[in-house]
Amino acid sequence: MRRVMIALVVVAVGLCAGVGVYGQVRRHNREAAIEWSRQQRLAARTPLQKAAADIDLARRAGDGVHFAVVPERLPPGLVTMEPAVDAYLDGVTDIYSYGDLKALVKYTDVPGRRPCGEHTCVRDTEVGFVTAEAPSLRHASVWLTGQASSAGQESEVRRFWAETRWVPTAEAGWFTKLAYEGDVG
């Protein structure tokens, strides 16, 4: 009887150890699959999604002046966005990049004497509202720099910026979606 009891204890301990090891292996595999999936999502982010996530993070951290105002619709062919380091104290400039072609949008309180500097303005107009993050930025001036990658790219970009309507960032569904998609970390 004693031998049977010892054998049963050995079998029970072996089963418990086996179940424990199996659970640990399964847990490790599950965690590895989750990490692999996260890495795949990170690798699949586009430069535009990354830029929107970075801009959104900066805005949530209190730097809400850049991109406080954005176009109502996603600019067609947009590759990435970034805040410009402004040399002037009278406004803020946001850069919308289409590759080598860039649309620069300068927001100011009032229009300047030369709102687009040495460039020809695509648009020079009032934004139409005031945001809490940047209450003094009421006027927008838009100009293009760089080279278009195709024959129709510059005219498409120029037409978009000439006709676009601005909205506060929180009301731009395209921006919110891109920031969410870019924020998978």
Side-chain angles (χ1 to χ4, degrees):
M1 186 70 164
R2 190 169 193 199
R3 284 185 181 175
V4 172
M5 212 45 165
I6 291 174
L8 284 175
V9 168
V10 169
V11 169
V13 168
L15 282 173
C16 288
V19 167
V21 168
Y22 174 74
Q24 289 296 324
V25 168
R26 190 167 172 207
R27 178 176 161 231
H28 173 74
N29 287 342
R30 183 176 56 246
E31 289 173 353
I34 290 169
E35 179 59 23
W36 180 82
S37 176
R38 186 176 93 61
Q39 291 300 324
Q40 293 295 72
R41 285 192 321 268
L42 283 171
R45 293 187 312 171
T46 66
L48 185 56
Q49 290 168 329
K50 291 176 190 175
D54 291 346
I55 291 165
D56 188 53
L57 180 63
R59 292 178 49 70
R60 284 187 272 145
D63 186 14
V65 177
H66 281 283
F67 296 95
V69 176
V70 295
E72 182 177 41
R73 295 178 298 111
L74 174 64
L78 187 64
V79 175
T80 192
M81 309 177 287
E82 64 183 306
V85 178
D86 289 307
Y88 305 102
L89 299 174
D90 64 338
V92 62
T93 305
D94 297 334
I95 302 171
Y96 294 82
S97 178
Y98 300 87
D100 289 336
L101 181 65
K102 296 177 183 3
L104 284 81
V105 183
K106 182 166 187 160
Y107 298 99
T108 58
D109 187 15
V110 295
R113 194 173 66 96
R114 292 181 47 183
C116 298
E118 73 269 3
H119 303 281
T120 302
C121 285
V122 171
R123 189 165 180 194
D124 186 33
T125 187
E126 292 298 316
V127 171
F129 59 89
V130 176
T131 66
E133 298 95 349
S136 65
L137 305 181
R138 303 165 189 254
H139 189 86
S141 303
V142 182
W143 67 94
L144 303 179
T145 63
Q147 296 295 319
S149 61
S150 67
Q153 184 188 33
E154 184 173 339
S155 61
E156 180 181 30
V157 169
R158 188 175 294 280
R159 185 173 40 256
F160 174 83
W161 287 102
E163 298 170 355
T164 197
R165 195 174 141 244
W166 282 279
V167 295
T169 304
E171 294 178 19
W174 67 268
F175 183 88
T176 305
K177 181 178 184 249
L178 285 171
Y180 174 76
E181 291 168 348
D183 186 25
V184 294

